[in-house]
Amino acid sequence: MRKIKDYPLDFSYIRDYPDRATKTFKKAKPYKDTFIGLAVLEGSFLCENSKEIYESLQIGEKLIVKQVDGPRHSFPPLMVYRENSEEIGKIPSAHSIFPNVLIDRGISLWCYAEAKSFESDILEIAVSINCENY
């Protein structure tokens, strides 16, 4: 079993040991805003130019989170975009309930790129979900 003591975390650690990764992240406190959780985005492999995204995405890059418009859901999907409006994935449903409540209450929400992988030409991105201090 691997032990990682310090931030930054690598992709496989976040994916394989989410509880330990979250504890490590909370201890490291790399950002001044409020940490909500870690998640591996869904659908990143569907992005156009996924190799270019992998090569240009910087660890620590701030990302935009938006609720998806469409039929009214109790908890609409949360999509993640780069500053240039390029969509890079979706926050998994299990990780989007509390963030949706915050957005509905008018609290700003964003992500930071924490780790990335491009094995077998499949892009995967792990993010930390954060919000303003409230």
Side-chain angles (χ1 to χ4, degrees):
M1 202 167 358
R2 269 173 70 196
K3 287 187 179 182
I4 296 180
K5 296 179 182 177
D6 299 319
Y7 177 83
L9 304 173
D10 67 26
F11 184 82
S12 62
Y13 189 72
I14 294 170
R15 181 191 60 220
D16 297 339
Y17 306 106
D19 293 336
R20 279 194 254 159
T22 298
K23 287 178 185 175
T24 302
F25 194 88
K26 285 179 180 179
K27 286 180 185 176
K29 297 180 185 176
Y31 309 109
K32 294 180 181 181
D33 37 29
T34 301
F35 171 70
I36 297 171
L38 292 172
V40 175
L41 297 180
E42 295 177 343
S44 296
F45 64 93
L46 297 172
C47 295
E48 290 184 34
N49 305 317
S50 59
K51 184 169 178 124
E52 289 176 23
I53 292 171
Y54 174 77
E55 291 171 349
S56 65
L57 185 69
Q58 298 295 312
I59 301 304
E61 182 175 331
K62 192 171 183 177
L63 305 167
I64 299 164
V65 177
K66 294 182 184 176
Q67 287 178 325
V68 173
D69 293 334
R72 182 69 184 140
H73 295 88
S74 54
F75 297 109
L78 297 176
M79 301 305 293
V80 179
Y81 301 87
R82 295 180 85 181
E83 285 289 326
N84 64 2
S85 298
E86 182 176 36
E87 183 180 305
I88 62 167
K90 180 182 105 174
I91 296 175
S93 297
H95 297 278
S96 68
I97 296 169
F98 184 59
N100 263 301
V101 170
L102 293 174
I103 290 172
D104 288 344
R105 292 184 178 174
I107 296 171
S108 298
L109 188 77
W110 55 87
C111 292
Y112 291 103
E114 297 299 339
K116 58 187 179 176
S117 172
F118 196 71
E119 294 179 19
S120 303
D121 289 341
I122 296 175
L123 175 63
E124 293 183 286
I125 302 168
V127 298
S128 61
I129 306 166
N130 300 271
C131 70
E132 62 190 37
N133 294 325
Y134 63 94

